Amino acid sequence: MSTVTTPDKAPVRAWLPVMLALAAIWGCSFLFISVGVRELPPLYLALGRVIAGSVVLLAILAVKRESLPRDPRLWAHSFVAGAIGSAIPWTLFGYGEERIPSLLAGIWNGITPLIVLPIAVLIFRTEVFSVQRGVGLLIGFTGMLVVLGAWRVDSGADLVGQGLCMLAAVFYGLAIPYQKKFLAGTTLSGTALSAALLLCATVQLAIVAPIVTRQAPPAPWSLSIEVVLSVIALGALGSGLAFVLNMRNIRLIGASRSSMVTYLMPVFSILVGVIVLHEHITWYQPVGGLVVLLGVAVSQGVLTVRRKRLVPAEAAAG
């Protein structure tokens, strides 16, 4: 990703519709995953997604007449980032959604910024810890316990699926500061870097999927039209078009402000899960999701925790 300069003040109408479109695309991706795993092993679903995304981004590069990275070190970092930011989490979400509703997976995706912070502070040292961020993490952790229904001893049936989606969010949280530290300083466009990540993820999944599943990939014509369209949507929209739109918003309003799309994604994942798939959730799962998002907002500085400043008695008297 190329270094982003301080953006000019863009009017709301220039970036808000794009942000809503991004939230809808990424929020609906959990619906597409839920449909895809009906007929595809999660590893092959993830493989189809990275292939479709790679095709879209390579086509964009061809139209823009841009090239892929040539530095071997960039490809080495892209290989790592492709694994922890695409291949592994997308596979984990697939396995998770074999066990839990898509809307719940979308809620777990919302914890990603909470994972990013401690990893960025403690491992990559690209962020600075503060009291406010600590408060945000504590609020977010409380929300995670609420989503899990930690007080319920009979909720273990869903814990495996929820744990897999939580682990996927952890890998997202690891990938973001990794890319910031090792890839963000390059002058290459975000499209070129993203294409490199997806190509690396494609190679990884093409090798691992047949070994783990012990079966050849199913022929596309053997799948239902719903599953085929879901794979195409995951790759072309969620991994292709959405990236281009996100880069546009980053240039308009900056990386921090554009990351607010994270707060909107669970809303769309819940809506499409209930309306399209007729999924059901218990009261505490969306409530816990709201608490998680509150923690994210506090930790990211969107909501500030004000501390009263002590005023000397002399000054107060004067």
Side-chain angles (χ1 to χ4, degrees), residues 240-314:
L241 175 62
F243 180 82
V244 177
L245 294 177
N246 191 47
M247 284 302 300
R248 176 185 181 275
N249 261 13
I250 288 175
R251 292 190 175 97
L252 282 175
I253 59 176
S256 178
R257 197 174 179 187
S258 65
S259 68
M260 290 191 297
V261 68
T262 306
Y263 310 146
L264 301 173
M265 287 169 54
V267 176
F268 284 93
S269 69
I270 291 174
L271 286 176
V272 297
V274 171
I275 296 173
V276 179
L277 298 179
H278 306 291
E279 294 175 341
H280 300 281
I281 54 175
T282 55
W283 66 267
Y284 55 81
Q285 290 167 343
V287 170
L290 290 175
V291 176
V292 168
L293 295 181
L294 174 63
V296 170
V298 172
S299 68
Q300 296 297 313
V302 177
L303 297 177
T304 58
V305 178
R306 296 182 178 179
R307 290 179 293 175
K308 293 183 178 179
R309 186 173 59 184
L310 295 178
V311 181
E314 296 82 356

Side-chain angles (χ1 to χ4, degrees), residues 37-59:
V37 294
R38 294 174 182 174
E39 301 176 21
L40 281 172
L43 278 162
Y44 279 125
L45 176 62
L47 177 58
R49 176 176 183 173
V50 295
I51 291 175
S54 297
V55 170
V56 170
L57 291 179
L58 288 175

Side-chain angles (χ1 to χ4, degrees), residues 151-175:
W151 62 89
R152 293 185 56 191
V153 296
D154 61 337
S155 60
D158 292 339
L159 290 183
V160 173
Q162 294 194 64
L164 290 170
C165 292
M166 187 191 306
L167 185 58
V170 171
F171 274 101
Y172 278 154
L174 181 63

Side-chain angles (χ1 to χ4, degrees), residues 65-242:
R65 297 185 178 180
E66 295 182 14
S67 61
L68 291 167
R70 297 181 181 178
D71 188 344
R73 290 175 298 179
L74 283 179
W75 277 105
H77 288 306
S78 296
F79 190 85
V80 175
I84 63 178
S86 298
I88 296 176
W90 292 348
T91 299
L92 289 173
F93 271 122
Y95 281 113
E97 289 196 44
E98 287 183 327
R99 297 167 173 82
I100 65 173
S102 66
L103 52 81
L104 188 52
I107 291 175
W108 279 115
N109 186 77
I111 74 169
T112 297
L114 297 177
I115 305 298
V116 169
L117 179 57
I119 291 177
V121 171
L122 300 175
I123 298 179
F124 296 107
R125 301 185 183 277
T126 57
E127 301 283 347
V128 179
F129 197 76
S130 65
V131 173
Q132 172 159 323
R133 289 183 164 185
V135 172
L137 286 176
L138 182 60
I139 295 173
F141 180 74
T142 302
M144 290 167 57
L145 294 179
V146 175
V147 173
L148 282 170
W151 62 89
R152 293 185 56 191
V153 296
D154 61 337
S155 60
D158 292 339
L159 290 183
V160 173
Q162 294 194 64
L164 290 170
C165 292
M166 187 191 306
L167 185 58
V170 171
F171 274 101
Y172 278 154
L174 181 63
I176 292 172
Y178 184 93
Q179 293 180 49
K180 181 176 181 179
K181 185 175 181 65
F182 296 110
L183 296 173
T186 179
T187 56
L188 287 173
S189 72
T191 305
L193 283 175
S194 184
L197 300 183
L198 289 182
L199 288 172
C200 289
T202 299
V203 173
Q204 294 160 0
L205 288 167
I207 295 173
V208 173
I211 296 175
V212 174
T213 62
R214 297 183 179 181
Q215 65 183 71
W221 53 86
S222 67
L223 304 172
S224 65
I225 187 63
E226 292 84 2
V227 170
V228 173
L229 292 177
S230 293
V231 173
I232 294 175
L234 282 170
L237 297 178
S239 305
L241 175 62

